[in-house]
Amino acid sequence: MAESWCKELWKKNVAYLGDRPAVIDRGRRLTHAELASRANRLYWALRSRGLEKGERVAILAYNCAEYLEWMQACEKGGFVGVPVNWRLSADNVAFVLDNSESKILLLHEDFVEPVSSIRPQLRNLEHLLVFDATSPPAIGEAYEEALATADSREPEVQMEDEDPAYIIYSSGTTGRPKGVVFTHHMQLESAKAHVTELGLTPQDVALVVMPLFHSGGHATASAIAYVGGINVLLPRFEARTVLEVLEQERVTFVQVVPTMIAALLEQPDLHRYRLDNLKTIQYVGAPMPQSLLEKAARFFGAHRFIQNYGLTENGPLVSTLSREDHLAGLREGASETARKRLGSVGRPHYGLWVRIVDDRGNELPRNTIGEIAVRAETTTPGYWKQQELTRKKIRDGWLFTGDIGLMDQDGYLYLVDRKDDMIVTGGENVYPSYVENVLCRHPAVKEAAVVGLPDEKWGEMVTAAVALWPETVATEEELLEHCKPHLAGYERPKRVVILQELPKSPTGKILRREVRRRLQEKAR
Ligand code: AMP
């Protein structure tokens, strides 16, 4: 086994780019040297509180500079980082901390109260370090004080490539969150894939608004940090603030989910912002309605867009729809092939194999729908303390993604849907994404979610919820009518419910399960 290289990347930044900015967290700016010095202090502060190599240290916070200090301290010190989703219920936060056996928790002042309420359940937790506290925190110690009294010497810890670096928990919309183990090797390989596919350089200024507790934000921030670029952190997505920061910090790269692009386009004074430096808008995580992409390209320009498909278990990147693909498909007079490819998630990136398989895991021919399986250097070794699930999802080195799709003759991958979200109505399979895309082609529809509601006659009844663009109107009848020419009878929604807004995950993905719950409640 080789020795982990991640820690060398942090050190290298200090050696060669020491006085250049590394992190911008609203009013705070840290150079690579300052970030490293604070991370080293954190390492010694954790050591002096009894944390050993391989033990878990969790963080519960919005995106902030302390997050990067914690990452660097974990990677250089051999601790295993557990980023906690701050949108989880207190009960699930307790589950994550307990399941990971986290010994120390770093937390933002805002979470002191909820954590106090679950403190008795946290059997392994020995210390809490609170940052951004205005007065002595109600529980634990002040983070800044712990750092102030700690050494800033560089840690000297031996780590292997296969040692775990993080456990990243899924959001747990069904059952308990599942911990995906990220090794040092995955971290490095994932960063290489990001640098290669997105063309990241030390000159890049990346706006990280996707949460750092999620694999998307985590992997982007890691890649930018390793390459020596600047991570501009925002605690949460708010369209106006995002536009202001893009302009003020001369951001070159931003990662978003499609719903965030819709929110940016909704801003009435969008044209006011100077976004000349913005080279890349990377969109990830959820299907992009073609109509939204076209609208976005008209404003931002097709040359700025890159799409990635991925999943936490693969660290996360799997495939890329490149800038060139966007330029080819979005230009006037584009060929039919080029336009069609905009509906794909691009080609598998350089570092992995993709197969489409049937229920027994046999590879299917091109242009045939099946489950997407991947094999890569970035694939997780498994789920934390979940051997059975690991055996089910990772077989002979292949990760079974739970995504349904097909690959065409040119290697472009088309996602059809999540295996679990497929609707079976009257014995026919309906893929919600396909129906959502049709609904989004109506000029008034901003976003759509299609679910199956239990129904005596059909088994499941195709039902849609939509949110409309501001200052537009559409009736349920009109939307049903709009679907008619584009969908088979069984695929058409039996009902379309217009909602003010669709429920979203902290990463901005539309939550179909939550939509189903609300529609069921309405139907009662
Ligand atoms: P997560 O592990 O939370 O990042 O979620 C991964 C899932 O998000 C994948 O299995 C897909 O179902 C979905 N997903 C990721 N990227 C895309 C994309 N570009 N287009 C459509 N769905 C995506």
Side-chain angles (χ1 to χ4, degrees):
M1 264 202 281
E3 202 186 325
S4 160
W5 191 251
C6 297
K7 61 181 192 308
E8 303 303 325
L9 297 173
W10 296 104
K11 291 189 200 166
K12 182 211 66 167
N13 283 338
V14 178
Y16 304 137
L17 305 165
D19 56 5
R20 293 218 3 218
V23 190
I24 301 176
D25 172 7
R26 289 153 295 167
R28 292 162 69 197
R29 282 160 197 266
L30 293 177
T31 62
H32 288 284
E34 286 163 342
L35 177 67
S37 160
R38 286 177 61 84
N40 293 351
R41 285 175 186 278
L42 176 58
Y43 168 80
W44 290 109
L46 296 173
R47 286 287 297 129
S48 68
R49 282 159 185 77
L51 197 70
E52 302 278 348
K53 181 183 155 192
E55 291 187 321
R56 271 75 62 205
V57 48
I59 186 166
L60 180 59
Y62 312 115
N63 292 0
C64 58
E66 287 83 353
Y67 235 109
L68 287 168
E69 292 163 13
W70 163 85
M71 281 167 72
Q72 190 172 153
C74 286
E75 291 180 29
K76 293 204 293 203
F79 308 132
V80 181
V82 180
V84 187
N85 175 348
W86 47 262
R87 288 266 292 265
L88 289 179
S89 63
D91 188 41
N92 269 335
V93 170
F95 172 81
V96 168
L97 294 174
D98 197 47
N99 183 257
S100 60
E101 295 168 32
S102 292
K103 253 174 111 171
I104 302 185
L105 171 66
L106 316 185
L107 73 164
H108 186 271
E109 162 80 3
D110 283 5
F111 304 108
V112 163
E113 215 180 286
V115 169
S116 301
S117 72
I118 54 170
R119 183 71 187 91
Q121 296 168 55
L122 309 174
R123 291 169 298 177
N124 300 289
L125 200 67
E126 293 175 8
H127 296 276
L128 293 109
L129 298 179
V130 183
F131 43 83
D132 257 9
T134 41
S135 47
I139 48 169
E141 309 163 65
Y143 180 88
E144 282 306 323
E145 271 176 37
L147 258 57
T149 50
D151 203 337
S152 64
R153 252 181 318 128
E154 196 63 51
E156 291 298 340
V157 183
Q158 284 275 325
M159 268 161 293
E160 308 298 330
D161 247 0
E162 302 307 325
D163 285 342
Y166 298 96
I167 307 173
I168 301 192
Y169 281 79
S170 68
S171 55
T173 37
T174 49
R176 288 295 197 187
K178 295 179 269 293
V180 177
V181 174
F182 269 52
T183 61
H184 287 261
H185 182 65
M186 277 174 79
Q187 273 289 115
L188 190 66
E189 290 298 322
S190 163
K192 283 187 202 164
H194 280 75
V195 170
T196 316
E197 296 298 298
L198 299 162
L200 303 177
T201 74
Q203 278 68 48
D204 271 307
V205 182
L207 176 59
V208 182
V209 65
M210 298 270 287
L212 285 167
F213 62 71
H214 184 264
S215 59
H218 170 86
T220 304
S222 302
I224 286 286
Y226 293 164
V227 88
I230 305 178
N231 271 301
V232 182
L233 306 173
L234 271 183
R236 63 182 84 207
F237 182 86
E238 199 274 309
R240 181 174 295 274
T241 315
V242 165
L243 290 167
E244 280 166 10
V245 172
L246 289 175
E247 179 181 280
Q248 279 162 16
E249 302 298 348
R250 302 178 178 202
V251 168
T252 62
F253 174 92
V254 63
Q255 179 191 48
V256 289
V257 288
T259 54
M260 294 177 180
I261 296 184
L264 293 178
L265 290 172
E266 235 176 48
Q267 291 304 303
D269 57 352
L270 189 56
H271 289 88
R272 205 169 58 78
Y273 297 92
R274 289 188 59 97
L275 306 176
D276 311 347
N277 294 75
L278 188 60
K279 214 168 54 187
T280 306
I281 303 174
Q282 179 210 21
Y283 61 95
V284 296
M288 166 64 102
Q290 204 149 326
S291 50
L292 177 60
L293 181 60
E294 281 163 11
K295 199 169 173 166
R298 274 198 296 278
F299 180 78
F300 292 107
H303 61 286
R304 286 192 167 124
F305 288 96
I306 298 181
Q307 179 187 194
N308 288 106
Y309 156 64
L311 68 165
T312 303
E313 288 84 340
N314 203 53
L317 289 196
V318 172
S319 67
T320 308
L321 188 69
S322 68
R323 206 183 294 282
E324 292 70 30
D325 287 320
H326 284 86
L327 279 167
L330 287 161
R331 70 184 163 83
E332 225 168 280
S335 71
E336 207 180 304
T337 312
R339 278 191 63 74
K340 186 166 166 258
R341 285 179 180 163
L342 295 177
S344 77
V345 290
R347 288 177 161 132
H349 73 68
Y350 79 97
L352 84 176
W353 283 105
V354 169
R355 270 184 189 166
I356 307 294
V357 296
D358 66 16
D359 283 344
R360 275 167 292 159
N362 301 317
E363 188 168 5
L364 293 165
R366 295 281 169 106
N367 292 307
T368 314
I369 291 180
E371 182 172 358
I372 299 170
V374 304
R375 207 183 107 213
E377 290 287 297
T378 52
T379 306
T380 178
Y383 298 92
W384 178 253
K385 289 187 184 166
Q386 295 237 42
Q387 285 183 359
E388 202 171 312
L389 183 66
T390 302
R391 274 196 295 273
K392 193 171 145 216
K393 298 282 280 186
I394 306 165
R395 285 175 262 153
D396 299 327
W398 287 88
L399 167 71
F400 288 74
T401 62
D403 286 315
I404 303 283
L406 64 82
M407 185 179 275
D408 73 9
Q409 58 288 353
D410 302 315
Y412 283 80
L413 192 60
Y414 289 78
L415 284 197
V416 176
D417 235 306
R418 293 285 308 157
K419 213 171 165 181
D420 300 343
D421 285 351
M422 193 177 73
I423 303 169
V424 183
T425 182
E428 301 279 1
N429 295 346
V430 176
Y431 297 106
S433 296
Y434 189 71
V435 183
E436 287 161 4
N437 227 335
V438 167
L439 280 162
C440 285
R441 273 190 247 155
H442 187 285
V445 175
K446 185 173 76 164
E447 48 204 24
V450 170
V451 297
L453 294 190
D455 183 78
E456 278 179 21
K457 183 167 171 207
W458 302 103
E460 283 186 295
M461 183 170 78
V462 181
T463 313
V466 299
L468 304 181
W469 290 104
E471 288 159 36
T472 60
V473 278
T475 60
E476 175 172 354
E477 293 68 37
E478 190 182 333
L479 294 173
L480 290 172
E481 202 54 37
H482 160 83
C483 290
K484 267 194 186 157
H486 308 291
L487 296 171
Y490 65 89
E491 285 177 320
R492 282 180 221 148
K494 301 274 181 292
R495 282 210 62 194
V496 180
V497 179
I498 298 170
L499 298 176
Q500 199 69 26
E501 222 182 305
L502 298 186
K504 311 218 172 65
S505 74
T507 44
K509 294 192 198 188
I510 296 169
L511 289 172
R512 288 198 188 122
R513 282 185 195 91
E514 180 57 22
V515 169
R516 184 182 303 123
R517 195 187 61 76
R518 285 199 200 168
L519 294 184
Q520 260 172 320
E521 258 172 25
K522 266 185 190 275
R524 263 188 218 131

PDB file of all heavy atoms in Angstrom, residues 29 33 216 500:
ATOM      1  N   ARG A  29     -10.546  36.386   5.077  1.00  0.00           N
ATOM      2  CA  ARG A  29      -9.688  35.845   4.021  1.00  0.00           C
ATOM      3  C   ARG A  29      -8.500  35.160   4.650  1.00  0.00           C
ATOM      4  O   ARG A  29      -7.858  35.738   5.534  1.00  0.00           O
ATOM      5  CB  ARG A  29      -9.166  36.980   3.123  1.00  0.00           C
ATOM      6  CG  ARG A  29     -10.199  37.446   2.144  1.00  0.00           C
ATOM      7  CD  ARG A  29      -9.928  38.818   1.595  1.00  0.00           C
ATOM      8  NE  ARG A  29     -11.175  39.288   1.019  1.00  0.00           N
ATOM      9  CZ  ARG A  29     -11.500  39.161  -0.251  1.00  0.00           C
ATOM     10  NH1 ARG A  29     -10.644  38.637  -1.100  1.00  0.00           N
ATOM     11  NH2 ARG A  29     -12.671  39.568  -0.686  1.00  0.00           N
ATOM     12  N   ALA A  33      -0.896  29.778   3.736  1.00  0.00           N
ATOM     13  CA  ALA A  33      -0.042  29.636   4.931  1.00  0.00           C
ATOM     14  C   ALA A  33      -0.884  29.795   6.201  1.00  0.00           C
ATOM     15  O   ALA A  33      -0.726  29.025   7.161  1.00  0.00           O
ATOM     16  CB  ALA A  33       1.073  30.677   4.899  1.00  0.00           C
ATOM     17  N   GLY A 216     -20.821  16.532  -3.374  1.00  0.00           N
ATOM     18  CA  GLY A 216     -20.592  17.478  -4.465  1.00  0.00           C
ATOM     19  C   GLY A 216     -19.742  18.663  -4.011  1.00  0.00           C
ATOM     20  O   GLY A 216     -18.680  18.940  -4.592  1.00  0.00           O
ATOM     21  N   GLN A 500     -46.690  26.707  -4.846  1.00  0.00           N
ATOM     22  CA  GLN A 500     -45.901  27.938  -4.807  1.00  0.00           C
ATOM     23  C   GLN A 500     -44.425  27.622  -5.062  1.00  0.00           C
ATOM     24  O   GLN A 500     -43.736  28.294  -5.806  1.00  0.00           O
ATOM     25  CB  GLN A 500     -46.061  28.546  -3.399  1.00  0.00           C
ATOM     26  CG  GLN A 500     -45.709  30.010  -3.297  1.00  0.00           C
ATOM     27  CD  GLN A 500     -46.729  30.860  -4.034  1.00  0.00           C
ATOM     28  OE1 GLN A 500     -47.882  30.447  -4.197  1.00  0.00           O
ATOM     29  NE2 GLN A 500     -46.304  32.013  -4.506  1.00  0.00           N
TER      30      GLN A 500
END
